[in-house]
Amino acid sequence: MLHLDWRFSPVFDSIDPTSHYVGVYDPGLVATSVVIAVLAAYVALSLSGRIVAARTGRSRWAWISAGAVVMGGGIWAMHFVGMLAFSLPCGTGYSLLGTLASVIPGILASGVALSVIGRRREPSLVQLLIGAVLMGAGIGAMHYSGMAAMEPEALLRYDPMWAGISVVVAVTLAFISLSIRFRLARGTSSIPATLAAATVMGCGVACMHYTAMRASLFFPVADSPIALLSLPPTTLAVIITIFTVAIASFTLVASFAGRQAELALNLRAEIAERERGERELIQARQEAEVANLAKSQFLATMSHEIRTPLNGVIGMANLLASTPLNNRQA
């Protein structure tokens, strides 16, 4: 039967397709994973306001990087807690290096999402589609690279149909999440609107994860190496949750502090603008007073200089008017 191995290479197995292990989920850990995904999305969407308000390219990329680390780390934490929620009849372990490396695609996907929703103008449909494809592909790469770090006492295979469905789900829900961000939370700081968009995005990431888990098949193998966790799954999940919440809280505080700093800078700029306007008004008034004084001096001088010859002209005119012009002496 056709399956995919951990590298997504097609393989034809002769094993019975119905002999795979049936895993079960811990409802508490599943709920925790969804909450982590929603929290990470909420923090990232909250940071998008700082991205839009950034005045320089450096500050914009700084906020995008911070949001990508938080959101990507949150998606990774959701993924890992979701894997811990899944238990098999056989032992399961994880490669430390591979598990930590799987966070990189999630960070890159989150950076793409934030660069799309952090625009001052609403992106076009094509831009949203490209962002959704890149984001969905990044989340899918994170999930399957994390699965590659899994070391179960079983043979891991993927159902090609469900693996394809998981990628389609990731891209579709990423597109819906980005679209909702612009329709509900764009241009507003309303907490309910941002929370609604974050809930859709977080649930979309969780839906992709559990759809991809449906594609995972674990077949029993003989003489498999024993793989055991160093800590119980619940303990690991609690540690990851605390660590993720701490990072998210720190980022929210940094976002609030950044907003206050931006408000202070805007206030200083407004005060400086008003002071400059006041100085310009004072200077204009002084120039008007000087011009008015010059006008008065000019009129006084001209009045004095014109009065003397004008008196002579007026006198001669009166003399001419009162003296007959045809009076001749014999």
Side-chain angles (χ1 to χ4, degrees), residues 21 88-95 149-155 221-230:
Y21 288 127
L88 293 168
C90 61
T92 304
Y94 295 92
S95 169
M150 190 177 184
E151 298 176 345
E153 298 176 12
L155 179 64
V221 292
D223 301 328
S224 60
I226 299 177
L228 297 175
L229 287 173
S230 58

Side-chain angles (χ1 to χ4, degrees), residues 221-246:
V221 292
D223 301 328
S224 60
I226 299 177
L228 297 175
L229 287 173
S230 58
L231 292 175
T234 304
T235 304
L236 278 176
V238 170
I239 294 174
I240 292 173
T241 301
I242 293 174
F243 184 70
T244 304
V245 170

